[in-house]
Amino acid sequence: MKTLFIKGSIFMLILMTSCFQSCQQEEKPTIANDQEEEAVLETISTTDIESDDIDEITNLAEADVMDGMSGGKKIHLLCAIVTRDEENKTITIDFGDGCKGPRGRTRRGKIIIAYSSEIGDNMANRIITFENFYVNNKGITGMIELRDVSINANGNFVCTKRITDLKITFRNSESITFNGSRTREWIAGAGDDDPQNNVFKITGSLSGVSTKGRSFTHEIVEPVIVDWSCVAEGNLARVSGRIRVTKLFGFGDRTRIIDYGDGACDNEVTIITIKRTYKIKVVG
């Protein structure tokens, strides 16, 4: 009987160890190849660009409201209906079932901007959320906060851009989710009522995770310059700046760089890994 008990105990121990190892394998992504590393970096760069796009859409909507043109009227540039709710201190940007706007992008669903004080207060905090919102079939959820708005020593508006669970889901069901905060300085175009010539400088860091559990850190090591005059020509708003991606789970402790260029208007992003340097074109 004692021998049977010992054998049974050993069997149960082996079974429990096997189950534990199996659970660990399910929870952690496997070590991947160079192609997956590059795919994650390309997806990260695209997700960041979508965040800029949302900023500009809200700027366009706010400028329209301040011109006294909205209240259910369609903005030509946005291809959206913008509604101002003064009582609840919100602006709703409604793209309906889908329409084509800036940079030939088709948007559907809603973006909702909530204010900490009255609409039009440049110093007010803003909370941006989404309702069934898609850009060219990429789904966007989560929250963006523009907080602590002030004027710096250079006379420029500056604020903290806090990102909470900002998730971009792509056509193939892959996704990237960002959390963290950045500083956004408005270095040109402020106060002229033309959002399309706005230029921003962005600094700060984020953390993120991909669909497959690839966590990473994401730090701007050279300020990212976002120039919205480039968009009218069909190019990206990001014209320069470098982002360092580290601690990408499963790939070792090494640095990768996402480079947005030297200041020229184009639609290219340079990806630098330990193995190679190459360019991608970002469209749609």
Side-chain angles (χ1 to χ4, degrees), residues 221-234:
V221 291
E222 293 181 14
V224 171
I225 303 301
V226 182
D227 185 346
W228 286 99
S229 66
C230 292
V231 175
E233 303 167 13

Side-chain angles (χ1 to χ4, degrees), residues 141-156:
T141 59
M143 181 170 66
I144 297 174
E145 297 178 74
L146 303 179
R147 308 186 64 83
D148 307 321
V149 185
S150 62
I151 298 176
N152 65 13
N154 296 322
N156 297 331

Side-chain angles (χ1 to χ4, degrees), residues 43-277:
T43 306
I44 290 171
S45 67
T46 303
T47 302
D48 234 4
I49 289 166
E50 294 298 345
S51 173
D52 295 338
D53 187 65
I54 291 162
D55 291 343
E56 182 63 1
I57 288 172
T58 58
N59 284 333
L60 285 167
E62 288 186 32
D64 181 76
V65 165
M66 291 305 100
D67 284 343
M69 295 171 58
S70 78
K73 296 185 70 174
K74 181 172 285 190
I75 302 176
H76 176 68
L77 287 171
L78 284 182
C79 184
I81 294 175
V82 178
T83 304
R84 174 180 183 174
D85 185 339
E86 292 190 61
E87 181 179 354
N88 293 307
K89 302 174 185 175
T90 62
I91 292 176
T92 300
I93 311 167
D94 189 351
F95 296 92
D97 294 330
C99 59
K100 189 174 289 188
R103 206 152 53 93
R105 316 184 89 205
T106 299
R107 299 172 178 83
R108 55 190 168 97
K110 298 177 182 180
I111 298 175
I112 301 165
I113 314 165
Y115 293 80
S116 62
S117 60
E118 65 181 48
I119 296 173
D121 180 358
N122 289 330
M123 309 301 284
N125 293 337
R126 294 158 174 77
I127 298 177
I128 302 167
T129 54
F130 311 94
E131 185 177 310
N132 299 319
F133 183 62
Y134 292 82
V135 180
N136 286 356
N137 294 317
K138 294 191 288 285
I140 300 177
T141 59
M143 181 170 66
I144 297 174
E145 297 178 74
L146 303 179
R147 308 186 64 83
D148 307 321
V149 185
S150 62
I151 298 176
N152 65 13
N154 296 322
N156 297 331
F157 282 103
V158 62
C159 72
T160 298
K161 180 178 177 180
R162 185 183 299 166
I163 292 173
T164 304
D165 294 334
L166 183 67
K167 180 178 181 180
I168 312 294
T169 302
F170 296 82
R171 294 186 181 111
N172 60 2
S173 297
E174 295 292 321
S175 68
I176 292 286
T177 303
F178 277 140
N179 283 280
S181 65
R182 288 176 170 164
T183 298
R184 190 181 74 155
E185 182 180 357
W186 196 346
I187 60 177
D192 64 4
D193 297 324
D194 183 6
Q196 294 182 93
N197 70 1
N198 288 340
V199 182
F200 297 94
K201 181 172 75 173
I202 304 172
T203 56
S205 62
L206 301 172
S207 63
V209 64
S210 72
T211 311
K212 295 180 180 179
R214 304 285 176 195
S215 57
F216 57 86
T217 61
H218 177 285
E219 179 187 5
I220 296 176
V221 291
E222 293 181 14
V224 171
I225 303 301
V226 182
D227 185 346
W228 286 99
S229 66
C230 292
V231 175
E233 303 167 13
N235 295 306
L236 297 178
R238 291 194 169 202
V239 296
S240 64
R242 282 188 156 210
I243 291 173
R244 178 170 59 205
V245 178
T246 57
K247 299 180 182 177
L248 180 58
F249 184 85
F251 292 95
D253 189 15
R254 59 198 192 204
T255 296
R256 305 121 187 118
I257 297 293
I258 299 171
D259 189 335
Y260 288 103
D262 58 5
C265 292
D266 58 36
N267 62 356
E268 291 185 337
V269 177
T270 300
I271 305 293
I272 303 171
T273 71
I274 197 171
K275 296 290 184 67
R276 69 175 183 135
T277 298

